[in-house]
């Protein structure tokens, strides 16, 4: 039975820098946007806010929907990744709440796109979408029978 993993990601930008979380996966340091799985009885937006806080310690509201990426990992795992935009007026200090996060970094788009340590190709693709794609109002995401 086909059951894709539904995930959310936050492309967080401040003063021309982007926030990445650094974690060690199978002994390898990787970068990702603050991201994670959608949980039961959770809206996509509330999942994005929760993941942002858990992985960075930052409380912020997604401002726009950036897009949906469908991807199959090398091990065959299918993913649907909903990406959100959070533009902050200034770079904020971070304090990861999740023990899996080694640290957070504010880096340039070029550093992300050129990095060999991305958790998946969706990390760079989300930055390219941020740079090139339109942003969509959050109202395009409709929630039925879910708490806000």
């Amino acid at each position: 039975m086909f059951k894709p993993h539904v995930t959310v990601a936050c492309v967080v930008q401040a003063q021309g820098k982007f926030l990445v979380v650094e974690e060690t996966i199978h002994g390898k340091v990787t970068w990702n946007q603050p991201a994670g799985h959608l949980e039961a009885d959770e809206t996509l937006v509330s999942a994005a806010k929760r993941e942002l806080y858990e992985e960075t310690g930052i409380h912020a509201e997604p401002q726009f929907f950036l897009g949906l990426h469908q991807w199959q990992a090398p091990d065959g795992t299918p993913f649907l990744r909903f990406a959100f935009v959070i533009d902050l007026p200034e770079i904020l200090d971070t304090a990861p709440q999740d023990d899996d996060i080694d640290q957070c970094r504010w880096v340039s788009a070029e550093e992300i796109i050129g990095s060999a340590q991305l958790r998946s190709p969706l990390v760079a693709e989300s930055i390219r979408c941020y740079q090139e794609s339109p942003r969509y109002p959050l109202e395009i995401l409709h929630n039925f029978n879910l708490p806000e």
Side-chain angles (χ1 to χ4, degrees):
M1 176 184 282
F2 179 70
K3 290 187 179 180
H5 291 240
V6 177
T7 62
V8 296
C10 297
V11 177
V12 182
Q13 182 278 146
Q15 299 174 308
K17 299 287 186 176
F18 293 88
L19 182 60
V20 295
V21 297
E22 189 175 283
E23 54 192 329
T24 304
I25 309 286
H26 305 299
K28 181 182 174 198
V29 174
T30 63
W31 284 1
N32 197 3
Q33 277 95 19
H37 286 83
L38 177 70
E39 295 181 358
D41 299 323
E42 188 174 52
T43 67
L44 293 164
V45 171
S46 63
K49 292 185 332 189
R50 176 185 50 77
E51 287 292 345
L52 177 68
Y53 176 72
E54 288 176 0
E55 295 194 353
T56 71
I58 294 173
H59 287 285
E61 294 285 328
Q63 296 148 332
F64 298 101
F65 178 59
L66 186 60
L68 170 64
H69 293 103
Q70 185 174 357
W71 179 64
Q72 185 168 311
D75 68 1
T77 304
F79 286 89
L80 295 175
R81 188 182 201 240
F82 293 81
F84 295 89
V85 171
I86 300 174
D87 283 314
L88 299 174
E90 61 187 11
I91 291 174
L92 299 176
D93 290 333
T94 58
Q97 306 298 301
D98 184 335
D99 291 339
D100 291 337
I101 304 301
D102 299 331
Q103 65 179 326
C104 301
R105 296 176 179 266
W106 290 94
V107 297
S108 69
E110 294 76 21
E111 287 175 279
I112 295 169
I113 291 170
S115 176
Q117 61 190 45
L118 302 182
R119 176 127 184 223
S120 82
L122 298 180
V123 179
E125 184 60 23
S126 294
I127 296 300
R128 283 190 283 275
C129 286
Y130 178 93
Q131 293 174 320
E132 301 167 5
S133 299
R135 288 146 177 74
Y136 302 97
L138 296 177
E139 292 76 23
I140 70 168
L141 303 170
H142 300 278
N143 303 309
F144 295 98
N145 298 324
L146 288 172
E148 285 298 319

